């Protein structure tokens, strides 16, 4: 099958420039209802694109040279929400690849569900559909755990930001002190060397001159 992902990495990654938020993975080939037709998009669903080289199934008759059919594909989470309602409900959509869904999709649906932006409950239905298809009893528990982990990471980040200037100051001070000590040691070494040389010169026997005239 073709290599999916916004950056064609094979995963539904979260990427800043991905305005379509391609976080939902579905099997484009799993039903006769073409995702592109239902959502009113250009029919890229029937296209052949560069193959996923890690896919062992890319040796079948559907493979054309280095291109393969679109199958498990990361689709736009906003288009997916509309797709469910247009298709007639969760029971009529194509197979969801649950282990490839990006958590950002659940976060987006959860934040919009029940708000004025939740037109005809499409985001609420999208969230419920994923829960049903993927056997998730309560997605809020997953999201709560995600938020808690983020809070811990952010707290750690804030603490480090506050501590870092203090540690930097100590490090700079230590470097300055070490420099001063090093300079003093060099000066002391030079003084000792000069004193030793002077003592050696003063203690040397004087030359004897013989008058031969």
């Amino acid at each position: 099958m073709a290599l999916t992902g916004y950056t064609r990495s094979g995963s539904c990654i979260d990427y800043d420039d991905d305005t379509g938020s391609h976080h939902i993975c579905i099997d484009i080939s799993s039903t006769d209802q073409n995702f592109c037709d239902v959502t009113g998009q250009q029919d890229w669903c029937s296209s052949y694109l560069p193959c996923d080289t890690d896919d062992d199934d890319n040796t079948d008759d559907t493979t054309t040279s280095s291109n393969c059919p679109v199958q498990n594909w990361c689709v736009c989470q906003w288009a997916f929400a509309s797709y469910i309602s247009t298709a007639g409900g969760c029971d009529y959509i194509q197979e969801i690849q649950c282990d490839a869904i990006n958590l950002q999709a659940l976060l987006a649906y959860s934040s919009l569900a029940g708000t004025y932006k939740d037109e005809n409950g499409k985001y609420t239905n999208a969230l419920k559909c994923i829960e049903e298809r993927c056997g998730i009893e309560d997605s809020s528990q997953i999201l709560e755990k995600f938020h808690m982990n983020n809070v811990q990471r952010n707290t750690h980040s804030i603490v480090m930001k506050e501590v870092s200037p203090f540690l930097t100051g100590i490090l700079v001070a230590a470097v300055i002190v070490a420099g001063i000590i090093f300079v003093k040691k060099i000066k002391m070494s030079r003084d000792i060397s000069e004193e030793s040389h002077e003592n050696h010169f003063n203690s040397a026997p004087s030359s004897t001159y013989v008058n031969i005239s």
Side-chain angles (χ1 to χ4, degrees):
M1 62 183 175
L3 186 64
T4 188
Y6 181 74
T7 59
R8 297 298 183 266
S9 63
S11 303
C12 302
I13 64 168
D14 184 39
Y15 195 74
D16 289 341
D17 292 340
D18 181 13
T19 55
S21 302
H22 294 77
H23 297 151
I24 307 289
C25 187
I26 62 174
D27 183 352
I28 297 294
S29 65
S30 59
T31 69
D32 293 334
Q33 274 209 66
N34 186 301
F35 175 84
C36 295
D37 290 343
V38 175
T39 56
Q41 301 183 47
Q42 182 180 355
D43 190 18
W44 53 261
C45 299
S46 302
S47 59
Y48 282 72
L49 298 172
C51 296
D52 182 350
T53 55
D54 292 332
D55 181 20
D56 295 332
D57 295 332
N58 283 342
T59 55
D60 57 25
D61 295 336
T62 60
T63 302
T64 307
S65 63
S66 60
N67 290 332
C68 298
V70 171
Q71 187 176 340
N72 292 342
W73 201 254
C74 300
V75 299
C76 169
Q77 65 189 28
W78 314 119
F80 177 77
S82 300
Y83 168 54
I84 295 171
S85 58
T86 307
C90 188
D91 294 336
Y92 300 96
I93 67 169
Q94 293 174 317
E95 184 180 339
I96 300 174
Q97 301 300 311
C98 298
D99 57 348
I101 293 177
N102 193 298
L103 183 61
Q104 292 300 323
L106 297 182
L107 289 168
Y109 292 153
S110 177
S111 64
L112 293 171
T115 68
Y116 72 93
K117 294 183 179 180
D118 192 13
E119 185 180 356
N120 298 320
K122 64 179 181 180
Y123 299 126
T124 299
N125 293 333
L127 184 60
K128 287 181 179 179
C129 182
I130 293 175
E131 289 177 340
E132 292 173 7
R133 287 288 191 98
C134 299
I136 302 173
E137 293 184 5
D138 186 3
S139 60
S140 63
Q141 294 180 359
I142 298 175
L143 299 177
E144 183 180 354
K145 184 177 181 180
F146 174 80
H147 284 304
M148 287 180 65
N149 289 339
N150 263 2
V151 168
Q152 291 174 352
R153 280 197 294 269
N154 290 339
T155 301
H156 176 72
S157 177
I158 291 171
V159 169
M160 288 307 295
K161 284 180 180 178
E162 292 178 349
V163 171
S164 291
F166 175 70
L167 294 177
T168 302
I170 292 177
L171 181 61
V172 170
V175 170
I176 293 173
V177 171
I180 293 173
I181 293 174
F182 180 71
V183 170
K184 284 186 175 180
K185 283 186 175 181
I186 291 177
K187 187 176 183 302
M188 288 176 62
S189 177
R190 286 178 177 174
D191 291 344
I192 292 172
S193 178
E194 290 176 359
E195 183 179 352
S196 175
H197 179 72
E198 184 179 349
N199 291 338
H200 176 73
F201 179 78
N202 292 335
S203 61
S206 60
S207 300
T208 304
Y209 294 93
V210 178
N211 188 352
I212 59 174
S213 56

